Amino acid sequence: MTCLPAHTEKKLGLVIDLDTCVGCQACVTACKEWNTGGHMAPLTDIDPYGGHVDGVWFNRVHTYEHMTEMGGRTVNFPRSCLHCEQPACVTVCPTGASYKRASDGIVLVDEDKCIGCKLCSWACPYGAREFDTDVGVMKKCTLCVDRIYNDNLAEEDRVPACVAACPTSARHFGDLGDPASAISQLVEARGGVELMPELGYKPTNRYLPPRARTERAARVDAPALEPIRAEGGFLGWIDRMLSN
Ligand code: SF4
Ligand code: SF4
């Protein structure tokens, strides 16, 4: 049994916008790339080019088809540790390897204390724990502790790798314990939600729900493109070349 801090000074976490995530996996690969060479290295790959690909990924994106009155809609759902306020993954740990930091609320694993019993992965309802079979220890998202406090990086780069990589700015990082922070105000403005609050883990991360499609947006066809082959100039030349 491992104790939790009575309170944390900050609640650092992520806000993920399900309206603008396009499921490109940039956050997934940026996470793997940064952590493979950084704080949690190495992150094992098993049969990476074969038929039974497996390994350690701290961030995974799942894609669902959701039916609405306007028709089908694709929802991309990135999933990683939510740095819960009441994480049973920590309290269940028999060695103190899993812990929650009082300073910023980040949940981490001390590999030197981990005995690989996997109790934490059973306790996490979000599937956010990743067991590394090569080294026999549990690993997970660190919220890029080796980036966000890294004085060697430019200030704008001191965000988790997934946030820096997202091409649609669907990922946001900050202190969700400060109601005045930009990230808290974003949650307020967009009605951000906790994932499975009924479980009582009090996840720090929030998800911004997809905005409803308007009837107009659902029905307006894309405008027909005018042929430009007959045009002169550079565009006409490119169009003729590509059409050959
Ligand atoms: S999401 Fe899972 S691994 Fe992360 S703090 Fe919550 S219970 Fe623990
Ligand atoms: S990088 Fe951004 S848009 Fe791409 S899958 Fe991740 S959250 Fe979604």
Side-chain angles (χ1 to χ4, degrees), residues 18 60-67 72-79:
L18 299 181
R60 298 173 187 255
V61 178
H62 307 277
T63 299
Y64 302 95
E65 192 67 18
H66 172 60
M67 286 308 293
R73 171 167 194 164
T74 302
V75 177
N76 301 294
F77 180 78
R79 175 177 60 91

Short mmCIF file of all heavy atoms in Angstrom, two decimals, residues 18 60-67 72-79:
data_model
loop_
_atom_site.label_atom_id
_atom_site.label_comp_id
_atom_site.label_asym_id
_atom_site.label_seq_id
_atom_site.Cartn_x
_atom_site.Cartn_y
_atom_site.Cartn_z
N LEU A 18 -11.67 16.52 -28.60
CA LEU A 18 -12.16 15.46 -29.48
C LEU A 18 -12.83 16.02 -30.72
O LEU A 18 -13.16 15.28 -31.64
CB LEU A 18 -13.15 14.57 -28.71
CG LEU A 18 -12.57 13.86 -27.49
CD1 LEU A 18 -13.62 12.99 -26.82
CD2 LEU A 18 -11.36 13.01 -27.87
N ARG A 60 -2.07 6.08 -26.92
CA ARG A 60 -2.67 5.34 -28.03
C ARG A 60 -3.92 6.08 -28.48
O ARG A 60 -4.63 6.65 -27.65
CB ARG A 60 -3.04 3.91 -27.61
CG ARG A 60 -1.82 3.08 -27.18
CD ARG A 60 -2.24 1.74 -26.59
NE ARG A 60 -1.10 1.03 -26.02
CZ ARG A 60 -0.50 -0.02 -26.60
NH1 ARG A 60 -0.94 -0.49 -27.74
NH2 ARG A 60 0.53 -0.59 -26.02
N VAL A 61 -4.19 6.09 -29.78
CA VAL A 61 -5.39 6.75 -30.30
C VAL A 61 -6.34 5.70 -30.85
O VAL A 61 -5.95 4.91 -31.72
CB VAL A 61 -5.03 7.78 -31.40
CG1 VAL A 61 -6.32 8.43 -31.94
CG2 VAL A 61 -4.11 8.86 -30.85
N HIS A 62 -7.54 5.68 -30.32
CA HIS A 62 -8.58 4.74 -30.77
C HIS A 62 -9.58 5.50 -31.64
O HIS A 62 -9.89 6.66 -31.34
CB HIS A 62 -9.30 4.12 -29.59
CG HIS A 62 -8.37 3.50 -28.59
ND1 HIS A 62 -7.86 2.22 -28.74
CD2 HIS A 62 -7.81 3.99 -27.46
CE1 HIS A 62 -7.04 1.96 -27.73
NE2 HIS A 62 -6.99 3.01 -26.94
N THR A 63 -10.09 4.86 -32.64
CA THR A 63 -11.02 5.52 -33.55
C THR A 63 -12.35 4.79 -33.56
O THR A 63 -12.39 3.57 -33.69
CB THR A 63 -10.42 5.58 -34.97
OG1 THR A 63 -9.20 6.33 -34.91
CG2 THR A 63 -11.36 6.28 -35.94
N TYR A 64 -13.43 5.57 -33.39
CA TYR A 64 -14.77 5.00 -33.32
C TYR A 64 -15.67 5.68 -34.36
O TYR A 64 -15.46 6.84 -34.70
CB TYR A 64 -15.41 5.24 -31.94
CG TYR A 64 -14.60 4.69 -30.80
CD1 TYR A 64 -13.70 5.50 -30.11
CD2 TYR A 64 -14.73 3.36 -30.43
CE1 TYR A 64 -12.95 5.00 -29.06
CE2 TYR A 64 -13.98 2.85 -29.38
CZ TYR A 64 -13.10 3.67 -28.70
OH TYR A 64 -12.35 3.17 -27.67
N GLU A 65 -16.66 4.94 -34.82
CA GLU A 65 -17.69 5.52 -35.67
C GLU A 65 -18.92 5.75 -34.80
O GLU A 65 -19.40 4.82 -34.13
CB GLU A 65 -18.03 4.54 -36.82
CG GLU A 65 -18.87 5.15 -37.92
CD GLU A 65 -18.13 6.22 -38.73
OE1 GLU A 65 -16.88 6.27 -38.67
OE2 GLU A 65 -18.80 7.00 -39.41
N HIS A 66 -19.38 7.00 -34.79
CA HIS A 66 -20.50 7.36 -33.92
C HIS A 66 -21.66 7.83 -34.79
O HIS A 66 -21.48 8.69 -35.66
CB HIS A 66 -20.03 8.49 -32.98
CG HIS A 66 -21.13 9.08 -32.17
ND1 HIS A 66 -21.89 8.34 -31.29
CD2 HIS A 66 -21.59 10.36 -32.09
CE1 HIS A 66 -22.76 9.14 -30.70
NE2 HIS A 66 -22.61 10.36 -31.18
N MET A 67 -22.85 7.24 -34.58
CA MET A 67 -24.00 7.63 -35.39
C MET A 67 -24.74 8.79 -34.73
O MET A 67 -25.02 8.76 -33.54
CB MET A 67 -24.97 6.44 -35.55
CG MET A 67 -24.46 5.38 -36.52
SD MET A 67 -23.96 6.02 -38.13
CE MET A 67 -25.53 6.56 -38.79
N GLY A 72 -23.22 9.42 -39.87
CA GLY A 72 -22.07 8.86 -39.16
C GLY A 72 -21.00 9.92 -38.91
O GLY A 72 -20.86 10.87 -39.67
N ARG A 73 -20.29 9.72 -37.83
CA ARG A 73 -19.21 10.66 -37.52
C ARG A 73 -18.05 9.88 -36.91
O ARG A 73 -18.25 9.02 -36.06
CB ARG A 73 -19.72 11.68 -36.52
CG ARG A 73 -18.64 12.54 -35.96
CD ARG A 73 -19.18 13.72 -35.22
NE ARG A 73 -18.09 14.66 -35.01
CZ ARG A 73 -18.25 15.91 -34.67
NH1 ARG A 73 -19.45 16.38 -34.53
NH2 ARG A 73 -17.21 16.69 -34.49
N THR A 74 -16.84 10.18 -37.34
CA THR A 74 -15.66 9.52 -36.80
C THR A 74 -15.15 10.30 -35.60
O THR A 74 -14.99 11.52 -35.68
CB THR A 74 -14.56 9.45 -37.88
OG1 THR A 74 -15.08 8.75 -39.01
CG2 THR A 74 -13.33 8.73 -37.36
N VAL A 75 -14.94 9.60 -34.49
CA VAL A 75 -14.38 10.24 -33.30
C VAL A 75 -13.06 9.57 -32.97
O VAL A 75 -12.98 8.35 -32.82
CB VAL A 75 -15.34 10.12 -32.09
CG1 VAL A 75 -14.71 10.74 -30.85
CG2 VAL A 75 -16.67 10.79 -32.40
N ASN A 76 -12.01 10.37 -32.92
CA ASN A 76 -10.67 9.86 -32.56
C ASN A 76 -10.43 10.15 -31.09
O ASN A 76 -10.62 11.29 -30.65
CB ASN A 76 -9.62 10.54 -33.43
CG ASN A 76 -9.87 10.28 -34.89
OD1 ASN A 76 -9.78 9.17 -35.35
ND2 ASN A 76 -10.24 11.33 -35.63
N PHE A 77 -10.00 9.13 -30.39
CA PHE A 77 -9.95 9.23 -28.93
C PHE A 77 -8.55 8.88 -28.43
O PHE A 77 -8.20 7.71 -28.26
CB PHE A 77 -10.98 8.28 -28.34
CG PHE A 77 -11.01 8.29 -26.85
CD1 PHE A 77 -11.64 9.31 -26.17
CD2 PHE A 77 -10.39 7.29 -26.12
CE1 PHE A 77 -11.65 9.33 -24.79
CE2 PHE A 77 -10.40 7.30 -24.74
CZ PHE A 77 -11.03 8.32 -24.07
N PRO A 78 -7.70 9.89 -28.18
CA PRO A 78 -6.37 9.63 -27.63
C PRO A 78 -6.48 9.21 -26.16
O PRO A 78 -7.25 9.79 -25.39
CB PRO A 78 -5.65 10.97 -27.76
CG PRO A 78 -6.43 11.75 -28.77
CD PRO A 78 -7.84 11.30 -28.58
N ARG A 79 -5.68 8.22 -25.77
CA ARG A 79 -5.75 7.69 -24.41
C ARG A 79 -4.35 7.55 -23.82
O ARG A 79 -3.48 6.91 -24.41
CB ARG A 79 -6.43 6.31 -24.44
CG ARG A 79 -6.47 5.60 -23.10
CD ARG A 79 -7.23 4.29 -23.22
NE ARG A 79 -6.62 3.38 -24.18
CZ ARG A 79 -5.71 2.45 -23.88
NH1 ARG A 79 -5.30 2.33 -22.65
NH2 ARG A 79 -5.23 1.65 -24.82
#
